[in-house]
Amino acid sequence: MGFFTDAYDLFSISLVTKLLGRIYYHHEGAVKPGTLPPNVAAAVNGVAFCGTLAGQLFFGWLGDKMGRKKVYGMTLMLMVLCSLASGLSFGHDANGVMTTLCFFRFWLGFGIGGDYPLSATIMSEYANKKTRGAFIAAVFAMQGFGILAGGIVSLITSAAFDHAQNAAASTVPQADYVWRIILMFGAIPAAMTYYSRMKMPETARYTALVAKNAKQAASDMEEKIEEISETQFGLFTKQFARRHGLHLVGTAVCWFLLDIAYYSSNLFQKDIFSAIGWIPPAKTMNAVHEVYVVSRAQTLIALCGTVPGYWFTVALIDHIGRFAIQLMGFFFMTVFMFALAIPYHHWTLKANRIGFLVMYSLTFFFANFGPNATTFVVPAEIFPARLRSTCHGISAAAGKAGAMVGAFGFLYAAQSTDPAKTDAGYPPGIGVKNSLIVLGCINFFGMLFTLLVPESKGKSLEELSGENEEDSSSGNEASANRTVPI
């Protein structure tokens, strides 16, 4: 449920950015409805990712210092409070509303950031080696339902207001309630999860290996235990660099490259659909109805491509392995991005829009039946217990740096090369076609960096991290051993 909420909160903003522009940046007498200025659009779309990046690093480190359970509750309360607050505002003018929205979405992102390393680490340390991949992937797959829920809540809210007002005006005053309700709804699933999180015991691996309480670890799990040793080296040591340096580079760079492509495509679906003519021009419909049309398009993509892709990974990750799924996913994302980009004019013709939608859905399917899931799973498995949450946080933060590149860069890059056709306030860009070609190249480099990531299928966490090897090589097995459930 934490990841369900994370995805809802991160992606629901893309459903209401056009509405925010029409409400707060409309100029009387203008031919086109209002749009968010470039700097405001970049801030609204990207500020949560800045918070997420900071939260992943901070809570990842804190999870290794204080324990997974203690920090898990903090992140959730932050998400509840900031989801509610992001739907409120100081004043009614554009500056007050946007400043408030960006402030609370930064701290919302900070809480979401903590969920990434902690959820992955907790699940990896509870699961057994035969089904561990499926369990961690299933946690992450709830993102798909979160994205879908965002579309459904947006559809219901906009349809209800559109029907109630039945207004001919471009933007009715009640439209201001629509975006607030959609954003604040994210507090509900997060609040429902708090009690369950507080009742969870600390993971036994943390208790035994980091807190050094083997008795409590055995008591918490009450399962078969096996002797393993405790790793001694820290993050900034030659031993870590030798054992896991390339692994960390691989997980971080793959996640960085993946998120540039994934978040560019996800956050700016509405702009791509508008560019090919699948969403009608804004001036032909009122503001609330535009939210409905954008939500309908993104919900369809989520149903056809996003959600199925996640669950294909859950079903197959422990059979065909992480490495194969990640390599395959990057390969097909590259293929489909080029297939959309190179004959781009073909897809803009009205007769071919359904084909574009199918191809576009397939890029999301192979993102999620591919690197979007595996980049989350692998860092939770291959690093030592005392550094597991920290290393996952670093990898995830690299991903959010990629998301920021996607969120800020795609806004400008996808603008038309013709100055007369750009959105208000934007300089000419390279166009949607060339932007898709760039994303295809990024996916290709993701394939190359996947070669640095080890396969973790069917191995215990201790085999993968080398915690047993370290002890046997030092000749001090008897003194260094700890008991911990596998």
Side-chain angles (χ1 to χ4, degrees):
M1 286 305 290
F3 258 81
F4 175 95
T5 307
D6 295 349
Y8 182 97
D9 289 333
L10 284 177
F11 292 107
S12 59
I13 193 66
S14 68
L15 300 167
V16 300
T17 48
K18 283 181 178 283
L19 178 62
L20 290 169
R22 292 179 69 141
I23 295 171
Y24 295 106
Y25 292 92
H26 177 66
H27 300 293
E28 211 52 54
V31 178
K32 290 183 178 180
T35 56
L36 293 176
N39 59 333
V40 177
V44 167
N45 280 295
V47 72
F49 298 137
C50 300
T52 305
L53 188 155
Q56 286 164 335
L57 292 173
F58 176 73
F59 286 116
W61 167 79
L62 201 62
D64 283 333
K65 295 296 178 186
M66 291 179 59
R68 303 5 173 169
K69 178 185 174 179
K70 288 179 184 175
V71 182
Y72 214 28
M74 296 179 200
T75 64
L76 201 63
M77 285 311 299
L78 198 55
M79 287 159 60
V80 172
L81 294 173
C82 292
S83 287
L84 292 172
S86 62
L88 306 174
S89 59
F90 302 132
H92 295 282
D93 66 302
N95 285 341
V97 173
M98 294 303 143
T99 302
T100 307
L101 177 61
C102 289
F103 176 81
F104 285 113
R105 279 192 66 77
F106 175 86
W107 291 108
L108 173 63
F110 193 70
I112 289 171
D115 236 33
Y116 274 74
L118 292 166
S119 292
T121 300
I122 287 169
M123 196 69 258
S124 73
E125 292 183 344
Y126 270 124
N128 67 70
K129 64 185 179 183
K130 289 184 180 178
T131 57
R132 186 179 61 237
F135 271 74
I136 304 171
V139 170
F140 195 65
M142 290 304 293
Q143 267 204 346
F145 288 121
I147 294 169
L148 187 61
I152 292 170
V153 170
S154 185
L155 274 173
I156 293 170
T157 306
S158 57
F161 274 82
D162 201 21
H163 178 75
Q165 301 307 317
N166 198 22
S170 174
T171 308
V172 295
Q174 290 79 8
D176 195 47
Y177 293 115
V178 174
W179 70 269
R180 297 176 189 273
I181 291 169
I182 292 168
L183 296 186
M184 294 171 80
F185 187 86
I188 295 173
M192 289 167 61
T193 312
Y194 186 76
Y195 178 77
S196 300
R197 282 201 181 182
M198 292 301 93
K199 296 296 288 182
M200 284 174 61
E202 181 57 85
T203 72
R205 279 186 168 93
Y206 178 87
T207 306
L209 293 178
V210 186
K212 299 183 178 68
N213 188 341
K215 185 177 179 182
Q216 181 61 43
S219 169
D220 283 344
M221 296 298 282
E222 294 181 345
E223 291 190 15
K224 183 186 172 195
I225 60 175
E226 126 185 1
E227 294 291 316
I228 67 161
S229 68
E230 173 192 8
T231 182
Q232 297 295 329
F233 53 82
L235 183 64
F236 301 106
T237 60
K238 288 181 180 178
Q239 200 168 0
F240 178 85
R242 179 171 55 82
R243 285 171 176 262
H244 299 293
L246 284 178
H247 297 163
L248 187 56
V249 170
T251 57
V253 174
C254 286
W255 207 334
F256 173 78
L257 295 170
L258 176 274
D259 274 10
I260 294 176
Y262 187 74
Y263 282 86
S264 293
S265 302
N266 224 320
L267 283 175
F268 302 108
Q269 285 181 53
K270 59 190 181 300
D271 303 299
I272 294 171
F273 294 151
S274 296
I276 66 158
W278 199 51
I279 293 177
K283 61 185 178 183
T284 64
M285 50 190 165
N286 71 51
V288 176
H289 187 66
E290 186 178 29
V291 175
Y292 177 83
V293 171
V294 169
S295 303
R296 184 178 62 189
Q298 296 194 195
T299 302
L300 192 58
I301 291 289
L303 273 172
C304 296
T306 306
V307 173
Y310 281 118
W311 292 97
F312 264 73
T313 301
V314 173
L316 297 174
I317 192 169
D318 286 313
H319 299 286
I320 64 178
R322 290 71 159 147
F323 181 84
I325 288 177
Q326 184 162 313
L327 201 63
M328 175 197 68
F330 270 128
F331 172 77
F332 281 111
M333 287 173 73
T334 306
V335 168
F336 287 120
M337 281 293 182
F338 286 142
L340 289 172
I342 294 168
Y344 180 70
H345 176 70
H346 169 81
W347 299 118
T348 62
L349 303 176
K350 191 171 183 178
N352 301 322
R353 287 173 189 166
I354 297 300
F356 181 93
L357 180 64
V358 171
M359 298 280 278
Y360 196 63
S361 295
L362 284 169
T363 63
F364 280 105
F365 176 82
F366 282 105
N368 296 315
F369 181 36
N372 195 39
T374 54
T375 51
F376 178 80
V377 173
V378 174
E381 300 180 308
I382 63 175
F383 297 110
R386 68 167 57 248
L387 300 171
R388 187 168 291 135
S389 180
T390 301
C391 290
H392 194 285
I394 291 169
S395 302
K400 281 302 164 284
M404 288 158 62
V405 171
F408 296 133
F410 199 83
L411 267 174
Y412 291 89
Q415 293 296 319
S416 174
T417 53
D418 182 354
K421 295 181 180 178
T422 60
D423 291 334
Y426 286 88
I430 61 174
V432 173
K433 175 178 178 173
N434 290 329
S435 296
L436 292 173
I437 289 174
V438 169
L439 295 182
C441 293
I442 287 169
N443 291 326
F444 175 75
F445 281 107
M447 288 173 59
L448 299 182
F449 278 94
T450 296
L451 301 176
L452 297 178
V453 180
E455 177 57 74
S456 50
K457 181 185 75 168
K459 297 177 182 177
S460 74
L461 297 183
E462 289 67 44
E463 284 178 79
L464 289 163
S465 65
E467 288 166 295
N468 282 336
E469 289 173 33
E470 178 192 314
D471 192 60
S472 58
S473 65
S474 67
N476 294 320
E477 290 184 62
S479 61
N481 277 355
R482 298 288 184 271
T483 57
V484 64
I486 298 303

